[in-house]
Amino acid sequence: MTEIKDILRTMDYGPAPEDAGIVTAWLERHKQGFGHFIDGAFTRPGETFAVTNPATGKALANVTQGSGADIDAAVKAARAAQPRWAALSGHERAAHLYALARHVQQHSRFLAVLESLDNGKPIRESRDIDVPLVARHFYHHAGWAELVEDEFPGARPVGVCGQIIPWNFPLLMLAWKVAPALAAGNTVVLKPAEYTPLTALAFAEIAAECGLPKGVMNIVTGDGETGAAIVSHDDIDKIAFTGSTEVGRTIRRQTAGSGKSLTLELGGKSPFVVFADADLDAAVEGVVDAIWFNQGQVCCAGARLLVAESVAARFETLLKARMDDLRVGDPLDKCTDVGAIVHPVQLERIKSLVAQGAAEGARLHQVGAPEGCFYPPTLVTEVAPASILSIEEIFGPVATLTTFRTPDEAVALANNTRYGLAASVWSENVNLCLDAAAQIKAGVVWINCTNVLDAGAGFGGYRESGFGREGGREGMTAYLAHPRPAAKKGEAALPEPDPSPAAQGEAKGIDRTAKLYVGGKQARPDSGYSYAVMGQKASVGLAGYGNRKDIRNAVEAANKAGGWGKATGHNRAQVLYYLGENLSVRAAEFADRLRSFGASKDAARREVETSVRRCFWYAAQADKFDGMVHQTKTSNVTLAMHEPLGTIGIACPLAHPLLGFVSTVLPAIAMGNAVVAIPSQAHPLAATDFYQVLDTSDVPGGVVNIVTGPRDALSKTLAQHDDVAGMWYFGSDAGCAMVEAESAGNLKQTWVENGAARDWTGREGQGRSFLHRATQVKNIWVPYGE
C-alpha cells in the first residue's frame, strides 16, 4: 500500500477519474439514436451510424446520416425563421444569447465530460478551456447583438448560414460559428463533424431548454456528403467552413459564381520561434501548450520549433525532460496531459507521415503511450525544411526542431510554408518579438505565449490557411452584409480584341501604340501584337495585347516592390497627394483622351475631376485606416493590425476608363499593396496615359503595373497565379464565377462584381469598404500587466 510519505517523496500522481455517470445516463436515454434538430425539435432517427469513444473504441451513440431531403428541411425552417429573428430588436436577440451562455455554464460539467468522451481530449482541457470559452463567446456576442445597430450602421444580416465544423474542438467551433451568426440576425444550418456530433446535439437540447425560437438554429448530422449538400444548396446565403485546406479549395470552387458569402478557416503549420535570449523554461512550457494541447489536433498548433542555434542543445535537453513527465492516457483522468487521437483513421495518418519523415533521416524522440487510439508525444530532430514533416500538417502530437542563426533566417524559415494561420515568438527583447511578428505571414502571432484564444479577438489566417476572421469585431463583420449595388442589365462577356491589321481600321485623331507598364518601365507585349482602341467612329490608337508571360513579369515586378508595404502611411499619403496634383495639372489632356472615346465634354471633365478627388481621398485615408486594441479576458494587449494583402490583381471596370482605374488601384496602393491592373479592355489608353503621371509622382517601380489586352484571359492568369494574394474583378457574371473558381489554387481573397452594377461617379465609387478589401487583419498578442 502506498503511503503519504512515499507520495511526497516521489510526487507520483494517482488516478483522478471524472464521474461520467450523468452523461452515461443521458446517452442511455438516447440509445434508440439521435435524429436531426430541425425547426426546434428532434426528428425521428433515420439511417444511423455509430459514434465511438476514441479512448476505448466503444460505441457511445448512434446518429442519423443526413440526406439532401434533411438539408432541404433544415434550410426551409431556417429561411422561414430568419425574417422574424432579424426583426427582433438587438436587445431581444441579446437576451437569447445571454440565456444560452448561462445555460452552457449551468451544464458545463456535463458538456465537458461529453466532449472528452466524444473527442478524446483530456477532461482538464474540455473543463477548463473549451467550455468556458463556449460561454464566453455567447456572452461576447450577446453584447454585439445589443450594439449591432450602433456599431454597424446600415448593415443587415446575411440571411441563412450554412456552417460546417471540424472534430478537434466540436463544441467550441459551434460557438465560434453560431454565436456571431445569431447575434447579427441570421439563422443557421450547422453540420458537426461525423466523428464528434454529440455535444452539438446536447447543445440543441440546451437551445430548446432556453426557448430559442424554432428554426433559428438547425443541426443536421452526417458525413462529407451531408456537408456537400449544405455547400451546394441554392437557398443558403453564406458558407462558413473550418477544416482541411483541400476541402476548403473544393468549397471555393463549388460556391464560385453563386453569390454566397464565404469564410474559410483552414490548415496550418505554425512556427514556434525561440530566440537566444528567451526564457527557455517558459518556452519549453509553451511547447507543451503549442503542440501537445489537444493531442496536437489544433490547426494553429506550433508544430515547427525554430530555435536559435546557440541555445538549441540546452532547449532540446529541457524539452525532452519535460516530455518525459507528460502523462498520456485516459481522457477522463484529471491528471492526464495527452488524451486519445480522435479516430483510428487519423491515427494511421499520423503514423504514416512520421514513418515517411523517419525514412528521410529524421530522428524521433518519443515518450510512452497506451495501446489503442493513442500516439506518443514526439519530437523530431535533424529534419530538413523540405522534409514532409516540416511541410505537411500532421494534426497530431508531433513537433519538428530546426535551428537558425539570425533573426532574418528565423523569419525566412517561419514563412517557408504555404500556410499562414498562426505563429509564436519567444524572446525577452520585446522589440525583437514585435519586429519578427510584423514580418511573419500569419493571421495570429503570440508573443511569449501560445494558443491564447478569446472571443474578443479575431482568429483566422493568411494564404492557404483561408480567409475571414472569427471572433471580435472582424468576426461579427463576417456575418453582416451592406447594401450592394445591382445592375438592371448586367455586363455581358466581352469578346477578345482582334489583333489582326484588318481589324484596326484607319487611325484618326490621337494615334500611338501604348506599351505595357511593368516594374516602373514601359514594356512591349510579349505577344508582339496590338489591338485597336475605338472611338465613336474610328480607331483612336493601339494598345498592347498582353499575355500570360506579361502577367508573370508584372507579378514578379509587383512582388519586388515590397518596400512600399513597409512605408509609413504618411509617406504613402504624400505620394498619392502628388499623384492627384500631377493629374490635376494634366486634366485637359486626360479629358481630351476621354472625349476621343466618345464621352461628352462635360462628362469627360467630371470624370477627370472625380479622379483627382479620389487621389486626395485615398491619400487622406492612407494614414488613418487604423487597427485597434481588442478587449480580451487575458493578460495581453491584443493588437489588431491592418496589413496589406501583398500583390493584388485588378480587372478594372469597362466604363469610365480613367475613373474606374483610379477608383480601384488607389485604395489598394494606399494600403501598401502592389497592383497588376488590367484596365478597361475597350478604352485602356486613359490608363496607359496614367503611367506618365506615375513616373512623375514618386511612385516606386513595380507598385503599379498595367497590362492591357483581353480582360478575361488575363484575369484568369492572375486568378491562377500563386504569388497573387488578392483578385478584384469587375466584369461579366461568367467572369466573376471564373475568377472565384480559379482563385482556389492558393485560396487568394477575391472581390468580384458585375461591372455594370456600381455607379463609379458617385458615393459607390469610393469608401472604407475598398480599404477593407485591400487589407487583412493580423492579431498580435503581447503580454500586458502580468
Side-chain angles (χ1 to χ4, degrees), residues 65-374:
Q65 169 63 35
S67 65
D70 295 323
I71 297 301
D72 287 341
V75 173
K76 183 178 179 180
R79 178 61 65 191
Q82 197 274 324
R84 295 190 300 274
W85 178 249
L88 295 179
S89 69
H91 175 72
E92 289 171 311
R93 287 200 302 276
H96 283 289
L97 289 163
Y98 278 123
L100 287 169
R102 294 290 290 168
H103 281 247
V104 165
Q105 289 178 319
Q106 291 165 13
H107 297 294
S108 60
R109 201 69 169 200
F110 172 89
L111 291 169
V113 174
L114 182 59
E115 193 79 307
S116 290
L117 286 172
D118 198 18
N119 170 272
K121 66 176 63 189
I123 185 66
R124 288 191 303 113
E125 293 178 6
S126 56
R127 180 195 66 200
D128 299 341
I129 299 173
D130 291 32
V131 175
L133 272 174
V134 170
R136 163 70 173 150
H137 271 269
F138 281 102
Y139 277 125
H140 178 80
H141 288 93
W144 279 127
E146 193 83 44
L147 302 173
V148 65
E149 294 180 5
D150 297 324
E151 293 292 325
F152 301 94
R156 58 173 176 78
V158 175
V160 175
C161 300
Q163 302 178 325
I164 303 169
I165 59 175
W167 44 256
N168 55 340
F169 292 91
L171 187 59
L172 181 56
M173 291 296 101
L174 178 149
W176 280 25
K177 297 283 191 291
V178 170
L182 268 54
N186 304 287
T187 53
V188 164
V189 176
L190 179 138
K191 189 197 86 68
E194 178 184 3
Y195 298 157
T196 55
L198 297 183
T199 46
L201 295 169
F203 185 82
E205 287 191 348
I206 291 172
E209 175 183 87
C210 291
L212 188 70
K214 294 180 179 181
V216 169
M217 184 186 72
N218 305 272
I219 294 176
V220 181
T221 54
D223 57 13
E225 292 184 4
T226 310
I230 292 176
V231 171
S232 62
H233 202 287
D234 291 338
D235 204 24
I236 286 178
D237 303 299
K238 175 183 173 65
I239 297 295
F241 172 78
T242 298
S244 74
T245 295
E246 283 308 311
V247 175
R249 284 197 183 92
T250 299
I251 292 173
R252 170 71 284 180
R253 295 186 180 103
Q254 287 179 344
T255 58
S258 67
K260 288 184 173 73
S261 175
L262 178 64
T263 50
L264 299 172
E265 196 267 282
L266 307 175
K269 193 71 176 175
S270 300
F272 186 102
V273 183
V274 181
F275 287 107
D277 65 343
D279 180 337
L280 296 186
D281 291 310
V284 164
E285 205 59 37
V287 173
V288 175
D289 292 334
I291 187 61
W292 296 311
F293 169 58
N294 199 33
Q295 299 72 253
Q297 298 169 140
V298 184
C299 52
C300 54
R304 293 186 296 134
L305 310 181
L306 308 177
V307 183
E309 186 177 77
S310 59
V311 297
R314 174 64 177 157
F315 182 84
E316 185 177 336
T317 299
L318 291 171
L319 184 57
K320 287 179 177 178
R322 181 66 179 89
M323 290 175 67
D324 291 339
D325 289 336
L326 292 174
R327 298 171 65 91
V328 185
D330 181 8
L332 290 187
D333 186 337
K334 291 187 280 288
C335 297
T336 293
D337 297 305
V338 181
I341 301 302
V342 70
H343 195 274
V345 170
Q346 178 62 17
L347 178 64
E348 288 306 313
R349 182 178 187 276
I350 297 169
K351 289 180 177 179
S352 174
L353 288 170
V354 172
Q356 291 179 62
E360 294 172 347
R363 295 185 62 182
L364 309 180
H365 176 77
Q366 297 179 314
V367 299
E371 294 294 323
C373 202
F374 295 86

Side-chain angles (χ1 to χ4, degrees), residues 270-276 278 283 287 302 304-308 315 402 404 406-407 409-415 423-427 432-433 436-437 440 445-449:
S270 300
F272 186 102
V273 183
V274 181
F275 287 107
V287 173
R304 293 186 296 134
L305 310 181
L306 308 177
V307 183
F315 182 84
T402 305
F404 65 85
T406 67
E409 185 182 2
V411 170
L413 287 168
N415 289 334
S424 185
V425 181
W426 295 75
S427 169
L432 178 59
C433 287
I440 292 173
V445 180
W446 294 292
I447 292 177
N448 291 329
C449 58

